[in-house]
Amino acid sequence: ITTRLVGSEMCIRDRISISLIKRIIGGLALGIILGLLVPKASGIALFGSVFVGALKAIAPLLVFVLVISSLCHSGKSHGGVIKTVIILYMFSTILASVIAVFTSKLFPVTLTLTEGIEEMSSPGSIGDVFNSLLMNIVENPITSLTKANYVGILAWAVVIGIACRHAKESTKDMLVDISNGLSKVVTWIINFAPFGIMGLVFDTVSNNGMSVFKEYGKLLMLLVGTMLFIYFVTVSYTHLRAHETRSNL
Protein backbone atom coordinates (compact mmCIF):
# COMPACT_ATOMS: atom_id res chain seq x y z
CA ILE A 1 0.00 0.00 0.00
CA THR A 2 2.80 2.39 0.87
CA THR A 3 4.48 1.76 -2.49
CA ARG A 4 1.24 2.47 -4.33
CA LEU A 5 0.71 5.70 -2.38
CA VAL A 6 4.26 6.88 -3.14
CA GLY A 7 3.83 6.00 -6.80
CA SER A 8 0.50 7.83 -6.99
CA GLU A 9 1.99 10.89 -5.31
CA MET A 10 4.86 10.99 -7.81
CA CYS A 11 2.45 10.70 -10.73
CA ILE A 12 0.33 13.56 -9.36
CA ARG A 13 3.44 15.73 -8.92
CA ASP A 14 4.57 15.02 -12.47
CA ARG A 15 1.16 16.04 -13.83
CA ILE A 16 0.82 19.14 -11.66
CA SER A 17 4.38 20.37 -12.07
CA ILE A 18 4.79 23.08 -14.70
CA SER A 19 8.10 24.04 -16.26
CA LEU A 20 9.67 27.33 -15.21
CA ILE A 21 9.42 28.77 -18.74
CA LYS A 22 5.66 28.16 -18.83
CA ARG A 23 5.25 29.72 -15.39
CA ILE A 24 7.24 32.79 -16.45
CA ILE A 25 5.07 33.15 -19.57
CA GLY A 26 2.02 32.89 -17.33
CA GLY A 27 3.41 35.56 -15.00
CA LEU A 28 4.12 37.78 -18.00
CA ALA A 29 0.55 37.43 -19.27
CA LEU A 30 -0.92 37.95 -15.80
CA GLY A 31 1.20 41.09 -15.31
CA ILE A 32 -0.10 42.54 -18.59
CA ILE A 33 -3.73 41.77 -17.67
CA LEU A 34 -3.42 43.25 -14.18
CA GLY A 35 -1.59 46.31 -15.52
CA LEU A 36 -4.53 47.01 -17.86
CA LEU A 37 -7.35 46.15 -15.44
CA VAL A 38 -6.05 47.48 -12.09
CA PRO A 39 -3.21 49.91 -12.89
CA LYS A 40 -3.55 51.63 -9.50
CA ALA A 41 -2.84 48.45 -7.50
CA SER A 42 0.76 49.47 -6.88
CA GLY A 43 1.29 46.68 -4.37
CA ILE A 44 1.63 44.16 -7.22
CA ALA A 45 4.83 45.88 -8.36
CA LEU A 46 6.37 44.93 -5.00
CA PHE A 47 6.82 41.36 -6.27
CA GLY A 48 9.14 42.62 -8.99
CA SER A 49 11.16 44.79 -6.61
CA VAL A 50 11.60 41.90 -4.16
CA PHE A 51 12.67 39.53 -6.93
CA VAL A 52 15.26 41.91 -8.40
CA GLY A 53 16.52 42.85 -4.94
CA ALA A 54 16.95 39.20 -3.96
CA LEU A 55 18.94 38.42 -7.12
CA LYS A 56 21.17 41.46 -6.61
CA ALA A 57 21.74 40.46 -2.99
CA ILE A 58 22.70 36.81 -3.52
CA ALA A 59 24.64 37.05 -6.81
CA PRO A 60 27.85 38.73 -5.46
CA LEU A 61 28.09 36.32 -2.53
CA LEU A 62 27.48 33.31 -4.79
CA VAL A 63 30.23 34.36 -7.25
CA PHE A 64 32.66 35.03 -4.39
CA VAL A 65 32.19 31.64 -2.71
CA LEU A 66 32.05 29.63 -5.95
CA VAL A 67 35.33 31.05 -7.25
CA ILE A 68 37.08 30.44 -3.91
CA SER A 69 35.74 26.90 -3.70
CA SER A 70 36.75 26.08 -7.28
CA LEU A 71 40.27 27.45 -7.01
CA CYS A 72 41.05 25.90 -3.63
CA HIS A 73 40.18 22.46 -5.07
CA SER A 74 42.15 22.94 -8.29
CA GLY A 75 45.68 21.59 -8.39
CA LYS A 76 48.60 22.09 -10.72
CA SER A 77 47.04 19.65 -13.19
CA HIS A 78 44.17 22.08 -13.71
CA GLY A 79 46.44 24.86 -14.94
CA GLY A 80 45.68 24.13 -18.60
CA VAL A 81 41.95 24.14 -17.94
CA ILE A 82 42.11 27.45 -16.08
CA LYS A 83 44.22 28.94 -18.89
CA THR A 84 41.66 27.82 -21.46
CA VAL A 85 38.81 29.27 -19.40
CA ILE A 86 40.59 32.62 -19.08
CA ILE A 87 41.30 32.73 -22.84
CA LEU A 88 37.67 31.90 -23.67
CA TYR A 89 36.44 34.50 -21.17
CA MET A 90 38.62 37.23 -22.67
CA PHE A 91 37.72 36.22 -26.23
CA SER A 92 33.96 36.13 -25.56
CA THR A 93 34.06 39.42 -23.61
CA ILE A 94 35.92 41.30 -26.35
CA LEU A 95 33.70 39.75 -29.03
CA ALA A 96 30.53 40.66 -27.11
CA SER A 97 31.72 44.27 -26.69
CA VAL A 98 32.54 44.68 -30.38
CA ILE A 99 29.30 43.06 -31.59
CA ALA A 100 27.21 45.06 -29.09
CA VAL A 101 28.65 48.38 -30.32
CA PHE A 102 28.26 47.33 -33.97
CA THR A 103 24.62 46.21 -33.63
CA SER A 104 23.65 49.24 -31.53
CA LYS A 105 24.95 51.52 -34.29
CA LEU A 106 23.41 49.43 -37.08
CA PHE A 107 20.00 48.99 -35.38
CA PRO A 108 19.48 51.93 -32.99
CA VAL A 109 16.71 51.47 -30.42
CA THR A 110 15.17 54.27 -28.35
CA LEU A 111 13.65 53.43 -24.96
CA THR A 112 11.31 55.44 -22.74
CA LEU A 113 12.65 55.30 -19.19
CA THR A 114 10.45 55.92 -16.17
CA GLU A 115 13.27 57.53 -14.17
CA GLY A 116 15.76 60.18 -15.17
CA ILE A 117 19.32 59.14 -15.87
CA GLU A 118 21.92 60.64 -13.58
CA GLU A 119 24.69 62.54 -15.28
CA MET A 120 28.03 60.74 -15.17
CA SER A 121 31.40 62.23 -16.00
CA SER A 122 33.44 60.26 -18.52
CA PRO A 123 37.11 59.48 -17.76
CA GLY A 124 39.54 62.09 -19.03
CA SER A 125 42.29 59.72 -20.16
CA ILE A 126 43.42 56.10 -20.31
CA GLY A 127 45.26 56.68 -17.05
CA ASP A 128 42.00 57.51 -15.32
CA VAL A 129 40.48 54.27 -16.61
CA PHE A 130 43.36 52.15 -15.30
CA ASN A 131 43.35 54.03 -12.01
CA SER A 132 39.63 53.35 -11.55
CA LEU A 133 40.14 49.69 -12.50
CA LEU A 134 42.99 49.22 -10.02
CA MET A 135 41.03 50.91 -7.23
CA ASN A 136 38.09 48.60 -7.90
CA ILE A 137 40.40 45.57 -7.76
CA VAL A 138 41.94 46.46 -4.40
CA GLU A 139 38.71 47.67 -2.83
CA ASN A 140 37.79 46.10 0.49
CA PRO A 141 36.21 42.68 -0.26
CA ILE A 142 33.33 43.33 2.13
CA THR A 143 32.67 46.67 0.46
CA SER A 144 32.90 45.00 -2.95
CA LEU A 145 30.23 42.50 -1.89
CA THR A 146 27.89 45.21 -0.60
CA LYS A 147 28.40 47.39 -3.69
CA ALA A 148 28.32 44.44 -6.14
CA ASN A 149 31.77 45.42 -7.42
CA TYR A 150 32.42 42.23 -9.40
CA VAL A 151 35.94 43.26 -10.40
CA GLY A 152 36.95 43.42 -6.75
CA ILE A 153 34.91 40.32 -5.91
CA LEU A 154 36.64 38.22 -8.58
CA ALA A 155 40.09 39.58 -7.75
CA TRP A 156 39.84 38.81 -4.02
CA ALA A 157 38.13 35.47 -4.68
CA VAL A 158 41.02 34.39 -6.93
CA VAL A 159 43.62 35.45 -4.35
CA ILE A 160 41.82 33.76 -1.45
CA GLY A 161 41.08 30.64 -3.51
CA ILE A 162 44.77 30.19 -4.48
CA ALA A 163 45.84 30.82 -0.88
CA CYS A 164 43.41 28.15 0.36
CA ARG A 165 44.82 25.39 -1.87
CA HIS A 166 46.84 24.05 1.04
CA ALA A 167 44.00 24.38 3.56
CA LYS A 168 42.63 21.36 5.40
CA GLU A 169 40.16 19.13 3.61
CA SER A 170 37.52 19.98 6.20
CA THR A 171 37.87 23.66 5.28
CA LYS A 172 37.53 22.86 1.57
CA ASP A 173 34.49 20.69 2.25
CA MET A 174 32.95 23.55 4.23
CA LEU A 175 33.40 25.89 1.25
CA VAL A 176 31.75 23.31 -1.02
CA ASP A 177 28.81 23.00 1.40
CA ILE A 178 28.43 26.80 1.55
CA SER A 179 28.54 27.10 -2.25
CA ASN A 180 25.95 24.33 -2.59
CA GLY A 181 23.75 26.08 -0.04
CA LEU A 182 24.00 29.38 -1.90
CA SER A 183 23.20 27.62 -5.18
CA LYS A 184 20.09 26.19 -3.52
CA VAL A 185 19.04 29.67 -2.41
CA VAL A 186 19.47 30.92 -5.99
CA THR A 187 17.23 28.05 -7.14
CA TRP A 188 14.55 29.15 -4.69
CA ILE A 189 14.79 32.74 -5.93
CA ILE A 190 14.59 31.63 -9.58
CA ASN A 191 11.45 29.64 -8.76
CA PHE A 192 9.97 32.96 -7.58
CA ALA A 193 10.68 34.40 -11.07
CA PRO A 194 7.05 34.15 -12.36
CA PHE A 195 5.85 36.43 -9.56
CA GLY A 196 8.80 38.77 -10.07
CA ILE A 197 8.16 38.98 -13.81
CA MET A 198 4.48 39.61 -13.09
CA GLY A 199 5.37 42.54 -10.81
CA LEU A 200 7.88 44.02 -13.26
CA VAL A 201 5.52 43.75 -16.23
CA PHE A 202 2.63 45.16 -14.19
CA ASP A 203 4.74 48.18 -13.20
CA THR A 204 5.78 48.77 -16.82
CA VAL A 205 2.28 48.39 -18.31
CA SER A 206 0.54 50.43 -15.59
CA ASN A 207 2.96 53.34 -16.07
CA ASN A 208 3.56 53.30 -19.85
CA GLY A 209 0.73 51.29 -21.41
CA MET A 210 0.94 48.62 -24.09
CA SER A 211 2.92 50.84 -26.46
CA VAL A 212 6.05 50.15 -24.42
CA PHE A 213 6.16 46.59 -25.77
CA LYS A 214 6.86 47.90 -29.25
CA GLU A 215 10.07 49.48 -28.01
CA TYR A 216 11.05 46.57 -25.77
CA GLY A 217 10.16 44.10 -28.53
CA LYS A 218 12.75 45.67 -30.84
CA LEU A 219 15.29 45.66 -28.02
CA LEU A 220 14.55 42.02 -27.21
CA MET A 221 14.98 40.94 -30.83
CA LEU A 222 18.27 42.84 -31.02
CA LEU A 223 19.54 41.29 -27.77
CA VAL A 224 18.51 37.75 -28.69
CA GLY A 225 20.03 38.03 -32.17
CA THR A 226 23.30 39.37 -30.77
CA MET A 227 23.42 36.70 -28.07
CA LEU A 228 22.82 33.91 -30.59
CA PHE A 229 25.56 35.22 -32.88
CA ILE A 230 28.05 35.43 -30.01
CA TYR A 231 26.98 31.99 -28.78
CA PHE A 232 27.57 30.26 -32.11
CA VAL A 233 30.90 32.00 -32.66
CA THR A 234 32.04 31.15 -29.12
CA VAL A 235 30.93 27.53 -29.45
CA SER A 236 32.80 27.20 -32.76
CA TYR A 237 35.93 28.65 -31.18
CA THR A 238 35.56 26.31 -28.18
CA HIS A 239 35.32 23.24 -30.44
CA LEU A 240 38.38 24.45 -32.36
CA ARG A 241 40.39 24.84 -29.15
CA ALA A 242 39.25 21.42 -27.94
CA HIS A 243 40.30 19.84 -31.25
CA GLU A 244 43.73 21.50 -31.05
CA THR A 245 44.16 20.28 -27.45
CA ARG A 246 43.31 16.69 -28.45
CA SER A 247 45.70 16.88 -31.40
CA ASN A 248 48.52 18.01 -29.11
CA LEU A 249 47.80 15.11 -26.75
Side-chain angles (χ1 to χ4, degrees):
I1 297 175
T2 304
T3 305
R4 291 180 179 177
L5 289 175
V6 173
S8 300
E9 183 179 355
M10 293 180 63
C11 291
I12 293 174
R13 288 182 179 179
D14 292 338
R15 292 178 181 178
I16 294 178
S17 62
I18 304 174
S19 65
L20 180 62
I21 300 298
K22 293 180 180 179
R23 284 184 284 154
I24 290 177
I25 294 174
L28 176 66
L30 184 59
I32 294 175
I33 295 173
L34 293 176
L36 295 175
L37 296 180
V38 284
K40 295 183 179 180
S42 57
I44 300 176
L46 183 63
F47 288 100
S49 301
V50 171
F51 175 68
V52 174
L55 284 179
K56 289 182 177 179
I58 197 64
L61 189 59
L62 177 66
V63 171
F64 187 68
V65 176
L66 282 178
V67 172
I68 293 177
S69 178
S70 299
L71 288 179
C72 73
H73 282 86
S74 64
K76 294 182 179 179
S77 60
H78 293 79
V81 176
I82 295 176
K83 180 181 177 181
T84 303
V85 171
I86 294 175
I87 292 175
L88 288 176
Y89 173 76
M90 294 178 64
F91 170 76
S92 59
T93 302
I94 295 174
L95 176 65
S97 302
V98 173
I99 297 302
V101 173
F102 177 76
T103 53
S104 63
K105 296 294 184 181
L106 188 62
F107 306 102
V109 177
T110 303
L111 294 178
T112 303
L113 302 177
T114 56
E115 298 180 359
I117 301 177
E118 298 180 358
E119 294 185 0
M120 300 179 63
S121 58
S122 59
S125 62
I126 299 297
D128 294 337
V129 176
F130 280 105
N131 179 68
S132 177
L133 178 62
L134 290 175
M135 290 299 101
N136 286 331
I137 291 176
V138 299
E139 190 174 34
N140 186 294
I142 305 299
T143 305
S144 297
L145 287 171
T146 56
K147 291 183 178 181
N149 171 24
Y150 285 96
V151 175
I153 290 172
L154 290 173
W156 284 112
V158 169
V159 173
I160 296 173
I162 295 175
C164 290
R165 282 184 176 180
H166 301 288
K168 297 180 179 180
E169 290 299 324
S170 58
T171 303
K172 296 180 180 179
D173 293 339
M174 181 190 68
L175 289 172
V176 172
D177 292 337
I178 294 175
S179 62
N180 291 336
L182 290 174
S183 299
K184 188 66 175 179
V185 173
V186 172
T187 302
W188 292 342
I189 296 175
I190 294 301
N191 285 328
F192 186 74
F195 297 98
I197 297 298
M198 178 192 68
L200 293 173
V201 172
F202 169 83
D203 186 43
T204 302
V205 173
S206 61
N207 290 326
N208 302 304
M210 291 294 293
S211 60
V212 73
F213 284 102
K214 183 178 179 181
E215 299 176 353
Y216 282 100
K218 295 179 181 178
L219 177 62
L220 183 61
M221 292 177 61
L222 181 61
L223 289 175
V224 172
T226 305
M227 291 170 63
L228 288 175
F229 178 80
I230 295 173
Y231 170 77
F232 287 120
V233 172
T234 306
V235 168
S236 301
Y237 181 76
T238 304
H239 285 302
L240 179 61
R241 292 283 301 181
H243 179 71
E244 293 177 354
T245 303
R246 292 174 183 174
S247 300
N248 294 331
L249 295 175

